[in-house]
Amino acid sequence: MKKNLINISGAEAVIKSFIAEKVDLIYGYPGGAIMPVYDELFKFQNKLHHVLARHEQGAIHSAQGYARASGRVGVVIATSGPGATNLVTGIADAQIDSTPIVCITGQVASHLLGSDAFQETDIIGISTPVTKWNYQITKASEIPTIIAKAFYIARSGRPGPVLIDITKDAQFEFFDFKYQNCVGIRSYKPEPNVELEILKKAAKVINNAKKPMIVWGQGVILGGAESLFLKFVELSGIPAVWTILGASAIPTSHPLNKGMVGMHGNYGPNILTNECDVLIAIGMRFDDRVTGDLNTYAKQAKIIHFEIDPAEVNKNVKADIPVLGDCKKSLEQIIPFISNKNYFSWIERFDSLMKIENKKVIQKDLFPLKKGLTMGESINAINNITKGNAIIVTDVGQHQMVACRYAKFSKSKSNITSGGLGTMGFALPAAIGAKMGAPDRHVIAVIGDGGYQMTIQELGTIYQNNLPVKIVVLNNDFLGMVRQWQQMFFEKRYASTEMVNPDFVAIAKGYYIKSERVTSREDLDAAIKRMLSNDEPYFLEIRVEKEDNVFPMIPTGASVSDIRLE
């Protein structure tokens, strides 16, 4: 035997590669084509904890939640055929939201490839458009090198999902194993070099601005740049606003944090996008839900775009000064050139527009005069107890927009949601991963009655692992966001959006999870206190108004200046 080499199977090599990458938690679902890896996983239970999901989609969303809450790479395993294809939605979600995931799928034996064998699918072909990288292994000797590359690619630069497909014969085959962590790939440059002259040029434009505005996204969090970003904001004195994935990078209570941009963002940040003279975009990609009509978006402003991915620069909005590079390094190097200024009248413009929004929207949402409970007051009641210290995991729909608008955050990595793909069913399994990634923090899943039923089976995962996840379902018996659009743009033709829901409390109890239902305002605070003081999993259904709408709102294709308050 060669020095430093051990002769092991491909399946054992997968497990030893995970251990070498300091993986301690894996989500997955077993099956025939991945069974050799699961057999080895059984032998290494003392080093690797496997979480059995109830569906592969639940497994990958859990891995996403873990990655987003911990900042580490999430790992998921599935079998071939339907096991692999059931991962695709989560892979696409991770790709567009820049979440580092390594997926291992089993595959039929290599001599059967292309023969339409039982549970054979071309997962490499299927996943190519939605992965950062993928690869099929047919020889055991490839395993350590390919897995090392997978982790490096997933976590470096702009993070993303990687899929490795391993044929069953490669899992059984023996070879001489040695693992070496990947620290670079010749053909892959994960981040551009920061150019000092570009930074100086950007700083000059920023310092000369009269009405500047910062828009930040998740890149600040992914880059671990929160403290430098806060220093940049405070030093410059520039009002800063955020995309939904950027929420929590700095506390919501900070005086220069002026709220959320986008379709259901705050009134002021959207209106003033088309009044600022310099727009400084940091770690965001100018998604259409942020920009609205591109033909009218910030045409009066000089655009400075801090971005790690060159493909995102000038893709939607032309940058006058593109600042390529890791935003942590860029911010660190630009700060010495930034002047400390006050923008009293400009900031007053934000505050005056917030007063309008507060009167027409926020007061009605948080302190309603109507009899029925609102989504906004439900989120506000959670705020009153958590004081912004909880991780809020949301699904997709009206509740998501309400939670992003009203949840208070005092720490980074506190807002976990499906942003770019808008995946219903995301929240419940993602909350599982978030709790395991941040075990010392309260994790509250805020979900609509529609999305909840897409992955409701993951209550079994919560029960089996005794995870103290808190689940809040805001139940309005509708697919609320679609219903709102039908009301506003389709003359109230509520086509296939009204839900006939089951007894959610009884279902939770069927999984041995403590549960209760709130239907009146008088009972809301006490129920939330009971939920958060309990050290076990807890389910709370809050019956809210059936036809509440989320405002402000920018109609699809409209300018951000056309934002509606009612």
Side-chain angles (χ1 to χ4, degrees), residues 106 315 415:
K315 185 175 81 173
N415 179 55

Side-chain angles (χ1 to χ4, degrees), residues 227-245:
S227 59
L228 280 168
F229 176 67
L230 181 59
K231 185 176 180 180
F232 175 77
V233 170
E234 291 179 337
L235 175 64
S236 68
I238 298 172
V241 300
W242 39 273
T243 69
I244 62 170
L245 292 182

Side-chain angles (χ1 to χ4, degrees), residues 415-434:
N415 179 55
I416 297 176
T417 194
S418 173
L421 196 64
T423 305
M424 292 177 69
F426 172 86
L428 186 62
I432 291 170

Side-chain angles (χ1 to χ4, degrees), residues 433-444:
K435 185 62 185 177
M436 300 182 89
D440 297 331
R441 299 186 66 186
H442 269 311
V443 174
I444 306 170

Side-chain angles (χ1 to χ4, degrees), residues 36 50 90 104 143 278 397 414 513:
H50 177 269
I104 304 293
I143 287 172
V278 176
S414 293
I513 293 172

Side-chain angles (χ1 to χ4, degrees), residues 304-321:
I304 301 173
H305 192 181
F306 288 74
E307 177 57 52
I308 196 169
D309 184 357
E312 294 295 345
V313 176
N314 296 326
K315 185 175 81 173
N316 295 325
V317 174
K318 186 179 185 307
D320 295 282
I321 305 176

Side-chain angles (χ1 to χ4, degrees), residues 193-212:
N193 294 324
V194 179
E195 296 185 28
L196 189 60
E197 289 307 310
I198 297 292
L199 288 176
K200 289 179 179 179
K201 183 179 178 182
K204 184 177 180 180
V205 172
I206 292 169
N207 292 338
N208 289 331
K210 305 297 182 185
K211 296 188 293 183

